[in-house]
Amino acid sequence: MTASASRRGTGSTPASTALLTDMYEYTMLSAMVEDGSVHHEAVFEAFARRLPEGRRFGLFAGLGRLLPLLTDFAPDAEDLAYLREVGAITEATEEYLRDWSFTGTITALPEGSLYWPHTPLLTVHGTLGECLLLETLVLSVLNFDSAIASAAARMVIAAGDRPLIEMGSRRVHEEAAVAAARAAWIAGFATTSNLEAGRRFGVPVAGTAAHAATLARPTERDAFAAQIATYGPGTTLLVDTYDIPAGIRTAVEVAGTGLGAVRIDSGDLMTVAPAARAQLDALGATSTRITVTSDLDEYALVHLAGAPIDGYGVGTRVATGSDHPTAGMVYKLVAVGDGPGTPLRSVQKLSADKGSTGGAKTVSRFPDGREVWTLDGSVPEGATPVHVDVIRDGVPQRLASAEEARDVASASLVSLPARAREISEGQAFRVSEQWEGTEPADEGEPADAPRTLVVVDVQNDFCEGGALGVTGGNAVAERIAAHLSEHAGDYRRVVFSRDWHFAEGDNGGHFALPPSAPDFVDTWPVHCVQGTAGAEYHPAILGALERLVGSGAEVVHVVKGEGTPDYSLAQGRVAGVDGGAPAGGTDLPSLFTGDVDVTGLAFDYCVAASARDIAALPGAGAVRVLEDLTAAVHPEADAETAQHLADAGIRTVSPAASAASTDSRKDA
């Protein structure tokens, strides 16, 4: 490592971006200048080996910020003098850099696109020396902006139709705050509090007052009156400086019932928000909105989904990537020539856990979202190449504006299937893969698959080790996954249900909260709370879901128990559909036409209740419970449960018998 004998800096802002890099970029460059390899043709690629832990997708951002920084990457005389002073470059390298500018070509995903592990995000093609120098700047911008956009996208999904304000400027570096505001807006946030982001990138800005505005006046009434006199009654008043009910009462007295909104920044928001809504309505301010802040993130937004809240303000967690402040991207040499004008050869790292895949890649996507790349420049039939030009032969190209990137991001998030939009921790929904010449599976409905399979509540909390583990639950999950692998073609539709309880309250008496103890008949321990790992599908089911992609079966997700003690999936709602709306629509009864097989947990509660309710639907045919693909809370009562089902016309059969009847029908 070359040591630095740098002079003390002045803290001034540089005119060029050529020193926004690591020293080793220039020391490597100097060695290449000295041996002549600096002029060899090369291809570098930015990609992520994996997504941040627990993330299901990434959202690509920062391209619009990166391009002007790249065009300013040209060391001036002062930069060169400093590089010589600290020993980063040789005299020959100084001459090489004196009139340096990037003359190569850069392509990348459109900003706002989804990305996956191993997606070639940005490709740089030029001479070895010029491509090498851009590494640190490329990664600095794309890693930060994509981390913020990916976290913000999860918050947008969790917030639903409620608008989000980005307000993290006071928690990060001043320029990072501007970048974070831009990235969050691209991901779907409605506004930012950061004025420079508004001026520089056109992000809509919002803001009214902090607690200081109230504390500076003799009374809260005086503070509210001053704000309303300045901005009118449509403003937002911060009502929690002293006492929330008193603040709301004073706000309505001063502004009238046409008050625009109140903001609450403290307290148990699941309790405070309903009380605030009730008070506003009682005061006649029925149109006054409620905005809440206070250290929110995507998990908090999921928990607040049932509260009467109209909008959120998110600060620290979005501006720092919600526990993942970097996207983990790397920038690697993937092809190089052995001399000027010689053919490129593929190169790759083989380091443990830090490998790369060599070769210049052409990235394409199929209409179903599957992403592949080739090494020969070809595009598979039915796929579309996705990279756009950033710089072509040294000339910067027009890139999408932040607003246009926002539109791309919106369409990208809408395209995600339900399981990829889950907020709880999971695995990457897709991986970018080399094209092997396999056509994507036909997604039409198999002609010989008239049945529907129902998988009831196979969640972590209902399996051994969970909050309400059923003995045999893990084994049931594995057997259901195996059944799907072997018999996916037997089903036109697979419906997965989950308990999806609120974090606050007892969910209509379903939870036994302290000091009460659960009786395991009508009341239960807290389980399957929205956004928690316990509410997630068992890992075997997640694997089965991955394998169902392209199988031809419709995959529908149902959630139930949102504040109520639901057992049957028929009491729930459709939360998502993988691959588009099902042929029968998304109302629950339309999903169960024809014969139905029911599996899952637990046999004596949610499985039995779901089977009975499905059998009662007018369009349902024969309903069967596959007994080896379920387990009971009280297995000693299995015979009694089976008899009750039989009384309702529901057979309890083994999967082997089920498969035999299906095969005999096909043979006929």
Side-chain angles (χ1 to χ4, degrees), residues 362-387:
T362 299
V363 193
S364 304
R365 288 180 179 171
F366 290 99
D368 64 0
R370 187 164 61 121
E371 178 181 294
V372 297
W373 45 265
T374 61
L375 296 175
D376 61 2
S378 64
V379 176
E381 184 178 354
T384 303
V386 293
H387 269 209

Side-chain angles (χ1 to χ4, degrees), residues 152 269 276 290-291 314 319 336 339 365 382 389 428 443 446 496 535 602 615 626 649:
L269 297 176
I290 297 174
T291 296
V314 185
V336 66
R365 288 180 179 171
D389 284 352
E443 293 194 355
F496 294 86
L626 307 187

Side-chain angles (χ1 to χ4, degrees), residues 531-575:
T532 65
E536 182 55 89
Y537 293 122
H538 186 280
I541 299 301
L542 290 175
L545 281 165
E546 294 291 339
R547 292 188 292 274
L548 280 172
V549 174
S551 69
E554 296 171 350
V555 178
V556 182
H557 301 270
V558 173
V559 295
K560 58 187 177 66
E562 296 177 289
T564 53
D566 299 339
Y567 292 94
S568 168
L569 66 77
Q571 297 171 287
R573 62 178 176 85
V574 175

Side-chain angles (χ1 to χ4, degrees), residues 283-295:
L283 293 170
T286 56
S287 63
T288 299
R289 301 180 305 279
I290 297 174
T291 296
V292 299
T293 50
S294 186
D295 295 325

Side-chain angles (χ1 to χ4, degrees), residues 146-165:
S146 297
I148 304 309
S150 299
R154 286 162 52 84
M155 296 175 191
V156 169
I157 289 170
D161 294 333
R162 299 172 179 177
L164 291 155
I165 305 171

